[in-house]
Amino acid sequence: MTVKIPTEQLPTSTFTCGPSQGHPVVRETPLYKTQFERSHRAKDISTDGLYKEAADNLRQLLALPADYTVLFFMGGATPALDAVAWSLTKNSISGLSFGAFSKLWCKKIASCLEDTVIKDFKEPAEGEFFPAQKPDYNASLVVLTPNETSTGTQIPNEYLEEAWKSKGPDTLIAWDCTSCAGGRDLPANKFDVMVFSMQKCFGVGGGSSVIILSPAAVKRIEEAKKYRRIPYSLDLTEAVKKAQEKAQTVNTPSTTNIWMFNEACKWMNDNGGLKAMDALCRAHYDYLMKWVESTDWLAPLIKNPANRSYTTLTLEITDPKIDCAEISKALKATGLPNLQDGIKKYSSVKQNSLRIACFPFVDIHGTQQYEKLTKAVDAIVADLRANAEGK
């Protein structure tokens, strides 16, 4: 690439989908102030301090019922999803598998459950991105991914509402909200389980997750033990007890990540709450869609707006002379750490495409960072086309 873009014209935010852009307060705070040197058993950190405060701020942000339990769990979303599947499935599990992240839960994790467990997952038809068939709402556990990170497909709120109304008398509804928690105004409390890693909308480092459980889900933990022996690290029994009684975790967590998460929740609550964060993500999305309309080489990968995510947007490159890898390479060549990961397609997505995060903290003031990004990409594409015509 020969294109040279002055540094002052380039964005200072990162647009990758995780670990994502952190809030300015988080990015400007010295590490020693994040309490990472303190014991996670100390009362002024757990029961009377950071962990309880973070859980309470999340409760406020999501308007959680008082009887829902908030767990800070070891690792990112994957071990949390493992724990949910092993600790809450009885004799059947169903759900939607329509991308790399929903497939992780529906196929890779659920496949490890006993052969006696009925596994029923609906997939899109060839060439489609969202399943036409609905899950078995009478399964003991129904797993749904409101926002699929890989393709930028979302489950509409109306669908999630219907799932809650249609569930059987012994069914738990579980959501993996990794790519939308804190950025999408979902149907309030129409779930028994919510799981998410902190590294997306909340702008926290990788390796930490949250599990939220309804009273029915907590009760199910003991019931599931009649069906299988659960590995210690995936058994949620002690995690629930410590969270409810002491605002503690079973294992030593990343206190720095919980501190970052708490700062994110505080800022979100102080600046309009979840509805305002939803509006901020939509503003980022709307700007990008207007940019797409102004080009002759881009189109949204997901054609149906109702199924198109506005927290992680995937754009298909329609000009065969433009390779998404070349755009990412040119952004990396700027030498700026925030652009070195580029904006690129997810590995399992077949289409020549770009995936861009629209999370709240990418630009808390509006769309200036996105304007700089799109101008840079326009310049890169113009250079790619000029080089192609010169050959």
Side-chain angles (χ1 to χ4, degrees), residues 1 33 35 37 54 57 64 75 82 91 108 110 119 123 127 162 177 189 193 230 232 242 306 331 351 377:
M1 292 294 298
K33 290 189 176 182
Q35 299 177 300
E37 299 161 312
N57 280 323
L64 295 176
D82 264 319
N91 58 353
K108 295 182 180 179
K119 306 173 181 75
E123 299 181 7
E162 181 190 350
C177 293
N189 309 314
V193 185
I230 302 171
Y232 173 74
K242 285 190 177 296
L331 289 170
Q351 290 79 4
V377 173

Side-chain angles (χ1 to χ4, degrees), residues 197-229:
S197 60
M198 299 178 183
Q199 62 167 315
K200 308 286 187 180
C201 290
F202 294 98
V204 175
S208 296
S209 58
V210 172
I211 303 176
I212 303 170
L213 301 170
S214 71
V218 170
K219 181 181 177 183
R220 173 68 62 81
I221 294 170
E222 292 305 318
E223 295 175 8
K225 290 180 180 178
K226 299 174 184 177
Y227 290 81
R228 69 186 57 84
R229 294 180 65 183

Side-chain angles (χ1 to χ4, degrees), residues 88 104 114 142 152 240 259 269 281 289 351:
L88 299 179
L104 169 67
E114 306 85 0
V142 174
V240 167
W259 182 91
N269 285 329
C281 290
M289 289 304 299
Q351 290 79 4

Side-chain angles (χ1 to χ4, degrees), residues 28 37 45 47 50 74-75 99 122 133 158 172-173 185 208 227 232 239 246 282 304 335 337 352 380:
E28 295 165 6
E37 299 161 312
I45 292 294
T47 312
L50 174 62
M74 59 181 185
K122 310 303 184 185
Q133 292 181 296
E158 294 77 12
L172 299 179
I173 299 289
D185 190 11
S208 296
Y227 290 81
Y232 173 74
K246 298 183 178 181
R282 287 180 186 271
N304 182 358
N352 184 22
I380 291 167

Side-chain angles (χ1 to χ4, degrees), residues 134 137 156-167:
K134 295 182 178 177
Y137 290 131
N157 278 4
E158 294 77 12
Y159 194 111
L160 297 171
E161 294 267 9
E162 181 190 350
W164 185 254
K165 292 178 183 177
S166 303
K167 71 171 187 169

Side-chain angles (χ1 to χ4, degrees), residues 41 50-51 73 94 103 129 155 158 199 211 238 248 258 274 276 284-285 290 317 322-323 345-346 350 353 382 385:
R41 302 292 183 211
L50 174 62
Y51 298 174
F73 201 67
S94 187
K103 186 179 291 185
F129 292 97
I155 303 176
E158 294 77 12
Q199 62 167 315
I211 303 176
E238 191 175 353
Q248 292 183 0
I258 295 176
L274 190 57
H284 299 161
Y285 163 87
K290 289 178 182 177
I317 297 175
I322 302 172
D323 186 348
K345 79 182 187 77
Y346 191 75
K350 298 177 181 178
S353 56
R385 283 178 161 173

Side-chain angles (χ1 to χ4, degrees), residues 267-320:
W267 187 89
M268 290 175 171
N269 285 329
D270 290 343
N271 288 272
L274 190 57
K275 290 187 182 301
M277 298 307 106
D278 184 291
L280 193 52
C281 290
R282 287 180 186 271
H284 299 161
Y285 163 87
D286 288 342
Y287 172 80
L288 289 173
M289 289 304 299
K290 289 178 182 177
W291 172 57
V292 169
E293 292 171 4
S294 72
T295 74
D296 61 356
W297 59 277
L298 278 175
L301 180 65
I302 308 305
K303 307 307 178 188
N304 182 358
N307 285 117
R308 188 186 306 144
S309 173
Y310 55 86
T311 56
T312 55
L313 178 62
T314 299
L315 302 173
E316 184 175 9
I317 297 175
T318 56
D319 185 341

Side-chain angles (χ1 to χ4, degrees), residues 6 24 28 49-50 67 76 101 113 134 172 178 185-186 190 251 254 257 297 308 323 339 347 350 353 368 378:
E28 295 165 6
L50 174 62
D67 57 358
F101 290 76
L113 294 171
K134 295 182 178 177
L172 299 179
T178 291
D185 190 11
L186 292 159
K190 298 301 172 68
N251 303 102
S254 169
N257 278 355
W297 59 277
R308 188 186 306 144
D323 186 348
L339 294 179
S347 56
K350 298 177 181 178
S353 56
Q368 184 182 56
D378 284 340

